[in-house]
């Protein structure tokens, strides 16, 4: 089974990639690094621990455009090691494919990452390492053909794309959305597949840079909409801002806690801090909600 390292300086996208990798039963462990320095430190430690050591890294999934050293720079540095890990590039830019394969990359996966496309990259890594390359057994009974990946830059010679089963739906996969659907649902899209999440099912929303993560009882969904925009759109639906990072459905608050001058709320299993500027307004809203 593979031990992998994913490297991306955009936290929401790194979390999404790790989520997908950890869902593949061929992956023993998947750790993340948010910059080149951390990535190189982890790989160096892995090499020092030896091929059977606890810090072993078999494959590095690399973004290309990052602050400081790029993914291509990191790959060139890793190529200088005696036993470098395999490299899979994961990027939104198809123009670097020639350079990537010149660096002997195992695969070149375009964002937004489709689960079945990432599964194919894992398969290729398993083949190169001499391990079992089969797709997860739960998906093997229904093998729909994989849609072809976007074309690489001229001159690139990626390996043919064989049919590959998608990953089994162990848990809901985080998605990235491009628009809010009018009505009672929000449209969530990943790799050209759109589904709709009922706004009534959302317990709270967490800000992650220019993204927001929608938390439901079944899992979470990453959307490309700022928290401030959702605050304005969903105010009439009972969503209230309790912190610069959190927007909460008023009816989903189970407890309001006051402790040593700090305020927090419990929403299901999550405990969320309430900022001082929002604490009084939240208490008043909860009182009106309880008596109304």
């Amino acid at each position: 089974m593979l031990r992998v390292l994913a490297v991306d300086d955009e936290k929401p996208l790194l979390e999404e990639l790790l989520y997908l990798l950890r869902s593949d039963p061929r992956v023993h462990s998947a750790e993340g690094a948010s910059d080149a320095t951390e990535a190189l430190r982890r790989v160096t430690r892995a090499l020092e621990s030896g091929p059977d050591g606890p810090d072993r890294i078999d494959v590095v999934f690399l973004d290309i455009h990052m602050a400081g050293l790029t993914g291509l720079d990191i790959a060139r540095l890793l190529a200088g090691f005696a036993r470098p890990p395999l490299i899979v590039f994961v990027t939104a830019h198809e123009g670097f494919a020639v350079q990537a394969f010149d660096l002997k990359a195992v695969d070149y996966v375009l964002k937004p990452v489709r689960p079945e496309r990432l599964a194919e990259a894992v398969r290729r890594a398993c083949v190169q390492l001499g391990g079992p390359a089969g797709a997860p057994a739960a998906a093997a009974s229904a093998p729909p053909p994989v849609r072809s990946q976007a074309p690489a830059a001229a001159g690139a010679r990626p390996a043919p794309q064989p049919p590959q089963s998608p990953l089994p739906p162990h848990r809901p996969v985080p998605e990235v959305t491009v628009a809010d659907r009018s009505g009672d649902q929000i449209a969530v899209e990943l790799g050209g597949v759109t589904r709709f999440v009922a706004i009534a099912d959302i317990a709270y929303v967490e800000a992650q840079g220019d993204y927001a993560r929608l938390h439901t009882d079944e899992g979470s969904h990453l959307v490309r909409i700022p928290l401030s925009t959702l605050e304005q759109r969903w105010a009439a639906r009972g969503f209230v801002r309790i912190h610069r990072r959190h927007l909460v459905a008023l009816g989903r608050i189970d407890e309001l806690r006051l402790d040593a001058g700090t305020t927090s709320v419990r929403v299901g299993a999550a405990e969320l801090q309430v900022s001082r500027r929002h604490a009084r307004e939240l208490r008043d809203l909860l009182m009106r909600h309880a008596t109304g």
Side-chain angles (χ1 to χ4, degrees):
M1 296 179 68
L2 300 180
R3 296 176 183 266
V4 307
L5 175 68
V7 186
D8 198 314
D9 62 352
E10 294 188 61
K11 183 179 177 181
L13 301 184
L14 177 60
E15 289 182 351
E16 179 185 356
L17 179 58
L18 288 171
Y19 195 98
L20 292 172
L21 287 168
R22 290 166 181 164
S23 297
D24 193 317
R26 295 167 296 185
V27 175
H28 178 274
S29 63
E31 303 299 328
S34 58
D35 57 49
T37 301
E38 183 182 357
L40 292 172
R41 183 172 59 247
R42 285 174 178 261
V43 173
T44 300
R45 186 171 67 235
L47 294 174
E48 289 174 348
S49 72
D52 299 318
D55 298 319
R56 185 186 89 229
I57 296 174
D58 300 308
V59 191
V60 179
F61 288 79
L62 267 177
D63 184 27
I64 288 184
H65 276 298
M66 295 187 291
L69 293 178
T70 68
L72 294 170
D73 294 330
I74 296 174
R76 292 187 186 100
L77 290 171
L78 294 182
F81 289 103
R83 296 185 306 277
L86 301 179
I87 299 295
V88 173
F89 286 102
V90 183
T91 176
H93 306 276
E94 56 187 74
F96 297 98
V98 173
Q99 297 176 63
F101 287 108
D102 283 345
L103 289 167
K104 296 180 171 48
V106 172
D107 208 343
Y108 193 88
V109 180
L110 290 177
K111 298 177 181 177
V113 178
R114 304 195 310 270
E116 68 271 21
R117 185 61 183 87
L118 189 65
E120 169 61 12
V122 171
R123 187 197 68 81
R124 295 184 185 187
C126 288
V127 168
Q128 285 219 18
L129 291 170
S141 60
V146 175
R147 292 169 291 174
S148 59
Q149 183 77 354
R157 297 181 299 277
Q161 300 280 339
Q164 179 70 26
S165 300
L167 291 174
H170 295 300
R171 298 172 293 180
V173 176
E175 292 104 351
V176 176
T177 188
V178 294
D180 189 11
R181 188 193 195 193
S182 59
D184 298 326
Q185 297 174 313
I186 183 168
V188 181
E189 181 178 332
L190 175 62
V193 178
T194 302
R195 56 179 296 196
F196 298 97
V197 176
I199 296 174
D201 291 341
I202 299 169
Y204 68 96
V205 186
E206 179 183 5
Q208 293 189 346
D210 292 333
Y211 297 77
R213 186 172 292 279
L214 313 177
H215 292 268
T216 70
D217 293 337
E218 302 300 323
S220 66
H221 308 275
L222 189 66
V223 298
R224 194 179 288 117
I225 301 177
L227 191 68
S228 58
T229 300
L230 293 178
E231 179 184 10
Q232 294 174 5
R233 293 181 183 179
W234 294 353
R237 297 179 177 274
F239 282 82
V240 295
R241 190 73 170 258
I242 64 167
H243 191 274
R244 61 184 176 84
R245 291 191 57 200
H246 292 119
L247 185 67
V248 176
L250 198 64
R252 300 294 292 269
I253 296 176
D254 299 311
E255 292 180 0
L256 176 68
R257 300 177 179 177
L258 304 175
D259 183 20
T262 63
T263 305
S264 63
V265 294
R266 184 174 64 82
V267 181
E271 183 171 350
L272 309 174
Q273 293 297 313
V274 181
S275 66
R276 290 187 178 182
R277 61 175 294 202
H278 294 105
R280 181 182 294 276
E281 179 185 4
L282 177 63
R283 287 197 295 267
D284 292 344
L285 287 171
L286 285 172
M287 289 296 294
R288 290 201 296 269
H289 183 76
T291 59

